[in-house]
Amino acid sequence: HITFQAAAMSSRLVPLVVGCLLLFLNLACVEAGAEAYRLLEELADDLDAGSFVEIGSDRGEGSTAWLNSFAAATGRDFFSVDFSEEGFNNAQRVCGPCAHRGMGETFLEVEFPALSRTGKIAFAYLDNYDWVWAGEHPESYTLQFPAMLPDEQLSPYKLKMRKEYREEGLTLNNEESQKAHLEQAIRVHKQCTERCIILFDDTFPLGGGRYSGKGGAAMAYLLAEDRFEVIQQSDPSVPSYQGFAMVRRLISDGESAEAGASERGSEPASPWLDQGRDTPPPVPEVEWLRPINQQSLACCSLAASIRVRNAVPEYHTLVMYVDLLERWRRVEWSGDSEDTVQFEVAMPGPKRVLLGAHIVGPGADGVPT
């Protein structure tokens, strides 16, 4: 037998996260990541002549080495840019002169035109200014996160990141991450080949054609006015920290790309409003059905159920956590007033951890609500 506690988080205290629930159980979780840049190999025959640019040198996952090797094999320039000493040094060890230290926006505007043999970008991998994953912290879906938290409430790794950003005169929060990626996307667009490709890591679909994560604002800009099209993206059901989005410039894109760096682009219409409704969608609710207190659990998995009311298809996403780490995302709904979601959680051994869930919607200007 195990005992758990469940408590609803007040929507008054958590205005941007609806229907949060906490649950303590004996569970376990597994962390994973993505290497979406390797998808470029499948598109090799469709790539234009031009340079490869990586903004955000890798810190152990291998993107810099892989892109450098692929660029060399196809006879292209490769540039890897990072503002931090650690990222720059890592890139130097991998590819020597390909490494550049500084802000990606400045490199694209000032240095790239003089260094590139073609002056054009065929592929850009934008994975830099950090997006802070927060589990189901009440403020985790606000763009200001984690600026409102004092140093003592940050994990050792996030505190290290904050100090690193402070040393460079930068603020570590998710809004600044989106701004940086938007500015970089606009500058890539200015120097793009006819069918160039841009890949954003840590970027995930919210529904209704909207995205969040590092590339949330940039995706809104690039997809507006038929500038780019999505050619690959992470499944909406996978955890957001495994998210990515890859876009390719449309031949029909006839604009000069002289937009200011603050432009977000026109937001795609909401599927809710597309149906002729002129009122906001209903506020969804989540309710745990099982497990229940003092339930007897058998080894080695737990069947859990959540009742979801008023979820709108292609608009609301149910995000489920184990130990404050996303494990599942549910985006498909029946359209009825009530759905029941069931999922299995591995239980290889006794351990007290946290199980949680909340509902996310795309909101205004692509900012999750």
Side-chain angles (χ1 to χ4, degrees), residues 232-255:
Q232 296 269 10
Q233 69 175 27
S234 52
D235 190 300
S237 65
V238 304
S240 57
Y241 60 82
Q242 295 180 358
F244 70 90
M246 180 182 284
V247 296
R248 180 166 53 198
R249 188 179 186 182
L250 289 166
I251 295 176
S252 60
D253 174 25
E255 72 169 59

Side-chain angles (χ1 to χ4, degrees), residues 107-144:
F107 174 83
L108 291 168
E109 189 78 23
V110 178
E111 299 177 58
F112 174 79
L115 295 173
S116 171
R117 287 179 293 173
T118 64
K120 293 289 185 180
I121 299 172
F123 173 75
Y125 181 36
L126 305 184
D127 180 23
N128 51 106
Y129 209 118
D130 287 285
W131 180 269
V132 184
W133 306 105
E136 68 159 26
H137 185 282
E139 302 285 354
S140 66
Y141 272 82
T142 69
L143 291 182
Q144 289 71 40

Side-chain angles (χ1 to χ4, degrees), residues 108-109 112-113 119-122 186-193:
L108 291 168
E109 189 78 23
F112 174 79
K120 293 289 185 180
I121 299 172
I186 291 172
R187 285 161 173 75
V188 170
H189 185 202
K190 290 180 181 180
Q191 301 171 89
C192 214
T193 61

Side-chain angles (χ1 to χ4, degrees), residues 70-205:
F70 189 71
T74 56
R76 303 168 189 276
D77 295 329
F78 172 62
F79 307 96
S80 183
V81 186
D82 201 286
F83 80 87
S84 72
E85 183 177 3
E86 179 185 359
F88 171 69
N89 290 340
N90 286 345
Q92 264 197 326
R93 284 191 290 269
V94 169
C95 59
C98 88
H100 298 266
R101 186 174 182 187
M103 299 301 293
E105 308 90 281
T106 303
F107 174 83
L108 291 168
E109 189 78 23
V110 178
E111 299 177 58
F112 174 79
L115 295 173
S116 171
R117 287 179 293 173
T118 64
K120 293 289 185 180
I121 299 172
F123 173 75
Y125 181 36
L126 305 184
D127 180 23
N128 51 106
Y129 209 118
D130 287 285
W131 180 269
V132 184
W133 306 105
E136 68 159 26
H137 185 282
E139 302 285 354
S140 66
Y141 272 82
T142 69
L143 291 182
Q144 289 71 40
F145 188 85
M148 73 288 293
L149 298 182
D151 287 355
E152 56 269 19
Q153 290 188 23
L154 294 178
S155 68
Y157 178 69
K158 289 173 185 173
L159 180 59
K160 174 180 177 292
M161 290 169 58
R162 173 177 281 180
K163 291 179 177 178
E164 187 176 273
Y165 276 69
R166 282 175 179 167
E167 290 173 359
E168 299 297 329
L170 303 172
T171 300
L172 177 64
N173 68 35
N174 291 342
E175 182 174 25
E176 294 301 318
S177 176
Q178 286 200 348
K179 285 181 179 178
H181 285 81
L182 171 61
E183 292 174 4
Q184 293 157 20
I186 291 172
R187 285 161 173 75
V188 170
H189 185 202
K190 290 180 181 180
Q191 301 171 89
C192 214
T193 61
E194 186 177 63
R195 295 284 278 161
C196 79
I197 293 173
I198 303 176
L199 171 63
F200 298 95
D201 197 19
D202 299 326
T203 300
F204 51 96

Side-chain angles (χ1 to χ4, degrees), residues 24-59:
F24 290 97
L25 295 167
N26 292 328
L27 308 175
C29 64
V30 178
E31 190 167 358
E35 296 180 339
Y37 53 85
R38 294 180 179 272
L39 294 170
L40 195 62
E41 196 166 23
E42 302 174 9
L43 303 168
D45 294 339
D46 297 325
L47 285 170
D48 294 339
S51 300
F52 285 4
V53 177
E54 175 187 50
I55 309 296
S57 306
D58 84 63
R59 303 193 179 194

